[in-house]
Amino acid sequence: MLEAADVTRAPRRTAPPTWLVVALACAGQFLVVLDVSVVNVALPSMRAGLGLDAQGLQWVVNAYAIAFAGFMLLGGRAGDLYGRKRMFLVGLGLFTLASLGGGLAQQDWQLLLARAVQGLGAAVLAPSTLTILTAAVPEGAARARAIGTWTAVGAGGGAAGGLVGGVLVDVLSWRWVLLINVPVGAVVLAGAVLWLAESRAGDRRRLDLPGAVLVTVGLATLAYGISQTEAAGWTATATVVSLLAGLAMLGAFLAVEARTAAPLMPLGLLRVRAVASANVAMLLSGLAMFCMWFFMTLYAQNVLHYTPLEAGLALVPSSLAVIVGSKLAPRLMRHMGERYVAVTGSLVAAAGFGWQSTLGVQGAYLTSIMVPGILMMLGAGLAATPLAALATSGARPGEAGLVSGLVNTSRTMGGSLGLAVMSTIAAARSGGSGAPQALTDGYALVFRTSTGVLLAGAVLMLVWLPRRPAAGSSPVSSASSSSSTSSANSSGS
C-alpha cells in the first residue's frame, strides 16, 4: 500500500509546500486519535444529559472503536484503489458530519449512531493520512522526520484528549467534545481540497466489502450479547441469540476471507508464526488495557468526585507515560530482543493494574491514580512496539502495510470485546448500585481481571513469540508506523 513504485500522481499545476501536506495529514490523524480519548472524561456528563444507563455508556466508546477497527483495513484498501485524497475527504467529511450529529443528539440512540459513523469516517481517514504523507515526502531523512512528526501528533492527540475534554465539559458542556471537531474538520477539509494532490496504487483489485461488514457487525453483535449477560443472564434468549449470531457472523467472515480473491485479511498470513503470535498477543493486550481510561475516568468522577477538568489533568501523567514507553522500547529491543521487551512491557502493565485493583473510596491521587496509571501505560507503550515489529518482520515486503493494519485492528477489536466483558464484570460486582463502595468494588474487580489477562499474555508471549524476527527485516523501522498508531490508541483508549 505504501510502496513508492506503485504510486501514480494526478497532474497538478503547482505543488504545495511539503510542510503543508504534512500538516494536513497530521491534522487528520490528530482528530482521529483525539476522538478516541476525548469522550472518556465526558462520560458522566453524557450519562446525566441523555439518561444513558451503564450499558449505553460503554457503547459511547465501543460504537466508535468497533466501527473504526472493523473498517480500518477496508479504508486503507479504498485509498489505494480510489485515491488517497478522495478517501481523506470522504473520511473527514463523514467524521465531521457525525461529530455535528453527536453534539446535537437529543436521545441516546442518536449519540450512539453518530459515534458509529464517526468510527467509520475515522477508519477511512486514518490510513490515508500516512499514505498521503509518504507519497508527498521523498524517501530518506525527510520522510523519517515527517513520519516522526505524524507519530508525535498521533500520540499527542491521545495524551491531550483527557485534558481537552475536561476543559470543554467544565467550561461549556459535554456536547462540545464532539462539536469542537466541526470547525477544525471544516478548515482541514478546505485545506485538503485546495492543496492535497491525488495519488493511488496501481492495484485494481476489488474491495472486500462483505468481509468488512461481517467482521464489524459480528463483533458488535458479540459485544452486545456479552453486555446483556449482566441484566438478563447467560441463558436468556436475547443473550444466547446475540452471542450465537455474533459468532456465526465472525465464522462467515473467515469463510469469506478464505474464498475471496482479494481478502480483507489474508488467512495465509496467520500461518506465519510471528504474525499469528503477535496479533494474538495484541488482542489480549487490547482486551486488558483498552478499558483502563474508561474505568479510571469513572472512578475519578463517580467515586472521588473530581470535576471533568480535574479528571483530565489527573490522567495526563499516564498519557505521557505511553509515549515514553513507546520511545524507550526501540532502544531496549536492540539489547534485549523483541520478545523480552514485549514480555517486560506486559509485566510492567500487570504491576500497574494489580496496584490499581487496590483502589479505595478515599483513594489518594498519588497512590490511587498517578503511579499505577503511569505503570499501566508505560507497560502498554513498551509492549506495543516490539509486537508490531515482530508482526511486520514475519510478512513479505509487499504485505507490511497490511500486517501493520492487522496489528492495530487486532488490538482495537480485542479492546472492544474487553470493554464489553469488563463492563459486565463491574456491573455484576456492584449489583447495579451507584454507591461509592459498590462502584469501587466493581472497578477493583475489573483491574484484577485485567491483571490476570496480562499475566497470561506475558506467558503466551514468552512461549509463542519468535526469539528473533525474520532475517533481512528491520523490525524497528518497519514497525514505526504501526506501533505509533498502537501506542496512540493505547494512550487514547
Side-chain angles (χ1 to χ4, degrees):
M1 183 169 67
L2 303 181
E3 290 83 7
D6 290 337
V7 175
T8 58
R9 294 183 179 84
R12 57 188 179 184
R13 293 180 181 176
T14 305
T18 301
W19 67 264
L20 187 56
V21 176
V22 172
L24 289 170
C26 289
Q29 176 70 357
F30 182 83
L31 283 175
V32 168
V33 178
L34 179 74
D35 229 67
V36 178
S37 60
V38 73
V39 299
N40 281 300
V41 76
L43 290 173
S45 299
M46 289 178 173
R47 182 174 190 170
L50 294 180
L52 288 161
D53 57 15
Q55 187 181 126
L57 211 60
Q58 80 177 59
W59 279 99
V60 173
V61 176
N62 250 356
Y64 182 93
I66 289 174
F68 185 30
F71 287 101
M72 191 188 307
L73 294 177
L74 188 77
R77 174 57 65 189
D80 287 345
L81 297 182
Y82 305 123
R84 282 68 178 265
K85 175 181 177 178
R86 181 176 299 169
M87 291 300 103
F88 184 97
L89 295 175
V90 169
L92 184 56
L94 271 177
F95 183 89
T96 304
L97 289 174
S99 298
L100 178 62
L104 299 178
Q106 300 301 309
Q107 297 184 41
D108 53 0
W109 68 267
Q110 295 171 343
L111 175 61
L112 299 184
L113 177 62
R115 288 289 289 166
V117 178
Q118 266 192 315
L120 174 60
V124 175
L125 171 63
S128 297
T129 63
L130 185 57
T131 50
I132 285 172
L133 183 149
T134 54
V137 183
E139 193 169 359
R143 182 179 291 183
R145 288 194 298 271
I147 292 177
T149 302
W150 180 88
T151 301
V153 167
L163 181 58
V164 172
V167 171
L168 292 173
V169 173
D170 264 10
V171 175
L172 298 169
S173 80
W174 67 263
R175 296 181 182 278
W176 279 94
V177 302
L178 299 171
L179 292 176
I180 192 66
N181 294 329
V182 178
V184 177
V187 170
V188 178
L189 269 172
V193 170
L194 290 173
W195 293 305
L196 289 185
E198 188 57 281
S199 67
R200 58 172 56 87
D203 188 347
R204 302 302 300 174
R205 292 185 298 174
R206 66 180 178 85
L207 286 175
D208 181 19
L209 184 59
V213 171
L214 281 170
V215 71
T216 304
V217 177
L219 184 67
T221 306
L222 189 61
Y224 176 77
I226 294 170
S227 68
Q228 287 294 301
T229 59
E230 190 277 326
W234 284 97
T235 59
T237 301
T239 301
V240 173
V241 169
S242 296
L243 292 175
L244 290 178
L247 290 172
M249 280 184 275
L250 292 177
F253 164 71
L254 294 177
V256 167
E257 298 308 283
R259 293 175 176 272
T260 186
L264 192 66
M265 185 184 76
L267 299 183
L269 283 175
L270 299 181
R271 290 194 289 268
V272 180
R273 178 182 174 186
V275 176
S277 59
N279 274 279
V280 172
M282 273 292 196
L283 189 137
L284 287 175
S285 179
L287 192 149
M289 295 185 192
F290 188 87
C291 63
M292 177 265 192
W293 290 107
F294 182 85
F295 289 106
M296 290 286 277
T297 300
L298 294 181
Y299 171 64
Q301 294 189 58
N302 292 342
V303 177
L304 301 183
H305 306 296
Y306 285 21
T307 66
L309 178 56
E310 288 170 341
L313 288 170
L315 298 176
V316 167
S318 43
S319 298
L320 297 176
V322 73
I323 303 175
V324 173
S326 64
K327 296 297 183 185
L328 182 61
R331 299 181 182 181
L332 294 177
M333 286 159 60
R334 288 193 288 269
H335 301 288
M336 298 171 60
E338 289 72 24
R339 180 171 65 171
Y340 291 113
V341 175
V343 171
T344 300
S346 295
L347 292 177
V348 170
F353 274 86
W355 186 335
Q356 190 63 56
S357 70
T358 65
L359 53 82
V361 175
Q362 302 295 330
Y365 168 66
L366 188 66
T367 56
S368 291
I369 292 181
M370 180 178 160
V371 177
I374 288 174
L375 287 175
M376 285 186 275
M377 290 295 98
L378 179 65
L382 283 173
T385 300
L387 289 176
L390 284 169
T392 52
S393 73
R396 293 189 296 269
E399 296 171 337
L402 174 64
V403 174
S404 296
L406 183 60
V407 166
N408 293 320
T409 300
S410 296
R411 185 182 185 87
T412 308
M413 284 186 170
S416 300
L417 287 177
L419 181 56
V421 170
M422 299 302 178
S423 295
T424 301
I425 289 172
R429 185 56 175 265
S430 65
S433 171
Q437 186 61 58
L439 292 174
T440 300
D441 290 343
Y443 302 153
L445 182 57
V446 163
F447 287 108
R448 281 197 295 275
T449 304
S450 291
T451 302
V453 172
L454 286 168
L455 290 174
V459 173
L460 180 142
M461 292 177 202
L462 193 60
V463 172
W464 193 12
L465 288 177
R467 188 178 299 272
R468 289 289 175 188
S473 65
S474 177
V476 176
S477 61
S478 67
S480 61
S481 62
S482 61
S483 64
S484 68
T485 306
S486 295
S487 300
N489 285 344
S490 298
S491 69
S493 297

